Amino acid sequence: MGRGAGSVSVIGGADGPTSIFIAGKDSKVRLATSIQSYFSKIKRNRMKRRITANPHTLEEVVEWLKREYGAVEVSQQSHNYLEQRRGLKTSLVMRHRLDLLGEWKDLEVPERADMETFKTFLGQMQERNKKAGEIADDIFPLDFHIYEIIRPEGGRMEVAVETVWQVLGGSFSGDKKSMRQLKKLFKNIYLYYGVTDEDIRDETERYKLLLTTLCS
């Protein structure tokens, strides 16, 4: 076999390949991404078949978290809350109501690639984000809450809920063992939130978020 050449042998199973053999030093690097993508697709398709309609409202999710996991709401005066709220509002305004930003809504990426032009453009983006985050609630309403879960065995999770725009998110931290448990809990939260038949049929954002979370 010539230098740089490679070969791939695939042994198939009922749900796809069970083994992949790679020959050739360069091939390992060149094929790594495509192999990972292939198996990700297999896993994603498996998860798709397992998802069934069983939706709950965000309010029901919050009550379930309080009841089952002792979730406690984070103070809306805390620095953490205020920073996350500002970031979420910025993201939602940029996605749904660019018209509220007036002259800042259309920023063109500069054609020149010099550092000074880039710095100017970056400054403009930061200013636009700042303005988006500061839009008053009577103009762009937000009902945002953060709930904290501290597990007895270790680890901490934050679940962010926004009921006007129907946003569910979260983060967690801890040691290696705790992270595995919290990752499982994180998936269970999205499973409990669930999807409707319409979400499955139309592959809505809610459906895609559940699918992505289950595949992570």
Side-chain angles (χ1 to χ4, degrees), residues 56-172:
H56 293 86
T57 66
L58 287 174
E59 290 79 7
E60 289 174 328
V61 171
V62 169
E63 291 306 311
W64 176 71
L65 290 174
K66 291 178 178 179
R67 182 176 65 251
E68 298 295 328
Y69 300 101
V72 176
E73 185 167 3
V74 172
S75 169
Q76 296 189 5
Q77 303 305 315
S78 68
H79 176 75
N80 175 40
Y81 172 86
L82 294 173
E83 283 296 306
Q84 289 199 45
R85 189 182 196 280
R86 188 178 299 111
L88 178 61
K89 174 170 278 193
T90 298
S91 175
L92 290 172
V93 168
M94 296 289 291
R95 185 171 185 178
H96 299 287
R97 292 297 307 274
L98 266 177
D99 59 292
L100 294 176
L101 296 175
E103 61 180 311
W104 291 95
K105 70 176 182 178
D106 298 316
L107 287 183
E108 295 185 4
V109 179
E111 296 181 0
R112 296 168 54 192
D114 60 276
M115 185 58 68
E116 194 60 37
T117 303
F118 175 75
K119 285 182 178 179
T120 299
F121 178 69
L122 183 60
Q124 291 173 336
M125 288 184 62
Q126 291 174 338
E127 184 63 25
R128 181 172 71 173
N129 289 346
K130 179 182 177 182
K131 290 184 178 297
E134 292 175 347
I135 291 176
D137 285 352
D138 59 341
I139 298 175
F140 191 91
L142 220 64
D143 179 32
F144 180 61
H145 305 268
I146 301 176
Y147 299 90
E148 182 181 59
I149 299 172
I150 299 178
R151 303 295 286 156
E153 63 272 19
R156 173 179 175 273
M157 175 181 287
E158 282 188 355
V159 181
V161 175
E162 201 292 311
T163 63
V164 177
W165 300 92
Q166 297 294 292
V167 177
L168 176 65
S171 61
F172 48 91

